[in-house]
Amino acid sequence: MEEITTHFSTKMRPRSDSVASTGTQSSGSRMLLRQRLTMLMTCVDDLDPKDKIHVQMAKTLDGAFQICGQRAEQHKKDQFRLYIVTWNVATAEPPDDVASLLQLNSSKKADLYVIGLQEVRAAPLKFMTDLAFDDSWSHLFMNTLAPLGYIKVSSIRMQGLLLLFFSKIEHVPFIRDIQVTYTRTGIYGYWGNKGGVTIRLSFYGHMLCFLNCHLAAHMKYASERVDEFEYILDSQTFQGKKASSILDHKVVFWFGDLNFRIEDHGMHFIRNCITSKNFNLMWSKDQLTVMKKNVPKLQQFEEGPLDFQPTYKFDLNSDNYDSRVQKAWFGLTGKKRKPAWCDRILWRVKPRPPPPEDIFEEGDDDAAKEKKKNLLEDLMEKYPLKVVQDSYTSSMEYGVSDHKPVIGMFRLELRKMYDIPLVRLHAEGDWSADLDAMVTYSPLQPFPSSAWDWIGLYKVGFRSISDYITYTWVKDDQVAFNDEVVQVYVSKEEIPVVGGDCVLCYYSSNLQCIVGISEPFKVHESRAAIEEGLLPENINGLDQAIAS
């Protein structure tokens, strides 16, 4: 290295675009490094390939590239595709198929699906039934997504408001700290026909929040809608220190039937703009756009351009805007509703905190300053979560409601804070209903385990956490353990006699989520049951058992 330095100091050719080093610059600064690289480029042409300095130079550069590669790998970010749907379904039953709504034929598969519905039918008897058994909309989305490897991780319903969160199964052990809450704003805050429902969670260590709202209706209540939104933000709280309120989360997605209308413009002008696709001519009179100019909390939220036609109000099973005669009180003819962008998707990325002012002390030498600078860069690198919206549009083909669904597709760019599950588990030996079975699991990282933790047996392609075939309590049925491995007993009476492909999931009661999933394994058909004629031979899988 000394020979290389001597060579540079004696044989350098100056370049007009090179910047001379000054004594005031720190030897560890990036500026100095860039200057040296510039000088290096001017000297490359002077090196003789036969000179031993050339060999030393190659080795030195290889080492530098290796260091840079390692550093780049440390800062590597992963990308995840998030698909959000908001739809006021106007108490309708779901359509037969939602594959087009979820764009399941797209080559770019989503990692996460978030579906917010408003005005899900909430008649008293039906509402109680839905609470116990899941509603027809949830069943449709679960049945559609489960065969493709997605499971419902969480959901919340408040009367007509429903919020569903789906994830690819590979991400499920890294979705933690799940909490849900709701806020009523309808009829003096006592009735749940209006308000907001929220799911918040940690995704690979980054706190995300999803807020589905249905705000006050009618043209004249724009200010009331803003008041309701601010009330929801202020009133919803979560346990824990990481993010105790909605705006504490790194990213908040706010969507729903926000009910903001288009002011001033008449029906004829609006319909002409829609027909000619000059949507931008209506933006200046959109209430949400107007309100964002004056309300600080609204200004924190971003929204893509409204380059799609207003999604309210349509005749049922039609693309025609509100052509029916509206009946008002006492038999009078009511006013037709103007089209409006009632259904919206917005997002907010929490601002990056300013660096500490006193991080650098007066007595720090160059090495200490460089070390602190690197630590600060690492801290700042971990903090932000970049959000990129790839599309913002509506789906016009669905006509069961007077609203059209609105879709937002996003890319989340982040650096994983962890990529190892909390628990690794697998099925020991062969499984069938003829023999008692054993599960082995190993905690890979410390976490708050509980006597209420359990391990569930699931069919491959299960729809939600509650779809287990059977489960066993990790403490009650524990048969052996040491510091690294725990074995849990499963009675043969709990294992289905009909075989199939299954997985095991460890559920943490304290974290309210799955923290480990096994590799798929085969549960064999019960030979005893077949020999006794209780099962036809070669019956395939668990589907027949569930169907029967």
Side-chain angles (χ1 to χ4, degrees), residues 239-338:
Q239 296 178 351
K241 298 179 180 179
K242 287 185 178 179
S244 58
S245 69
I246 290 177
L247 296 182
D248 288 336
H249 293 76
K250 285 189 179 178
V251 180
V252 178
F253 291 94
W254 170 40
F255 47 90
D257 180 2
L258 308 186
N259 255 322
F260 290 101
R261 308 304 172 95
I262 299 173
E263 290 187 340
D264 297 339
H265 293 315
M267 182 79 77
H268 181 71
F269 177 83
I270 290 176
R271 293 200 173 187
N272 280 342
C273 290
I274 294 171
T275 302
S276 62
K277 299 188 182 301
N278 290 317
F279 306 128
N280 61 304
L281 299 180
M282 299 180 284
W283 292 349
S284 63
K285 300 300 181 180
D286 169 69
Q287 287 181 335
L288 180 54
T289 303
V290 173
M291 299 296 283
K292 281 187 71 174
K293 296 178 181 178
N294 302 312
V295 180
K297 285 187 178 177
L298 290 181
Q299 292 170 3
Q300 298 178 34
F301 285 82
E302 299 181 59
E303 184 180 19
L306 297 168
D307 284 332
F308 53 92
Q309 65 187 83
T311 53
Y312 174 84
K313 171 181 174 112
F314 287 88
D315 294 341
L316 295 183
N317 300 305
S318 168
D319 290 345
N320 298 321
Y321 284 101
D322 201 14
S323 64
R324 297 171 298 168
V325 174
Q326 305 293 315
K327 293 296 182 181
W329 294 101
F330 309 112
L332 299 175
T333 300
K335 187 178 181 181
K336 294 179 181 179
R337 301 291 174 87
K338 288 195 298 184

Side-chain angles (χ1 to χ4, degrees), residues 1 33 37 58-76 370 374 378:
M1 188 66 188
L33 181 59
L37 287 173
K59 290 181 179 179
T60 302
L61 289 176
D62 286 343
F65 281 123
Q66 186 175 3
I67 292 172
C68 290
Q70 292 171 350
R71 185 70 173 176
E73 187 66 26
Q74 290 176 0
H75 292 273
K76 180 182 177 182
E370 186 67 17
N374 291 335
D378 287 341

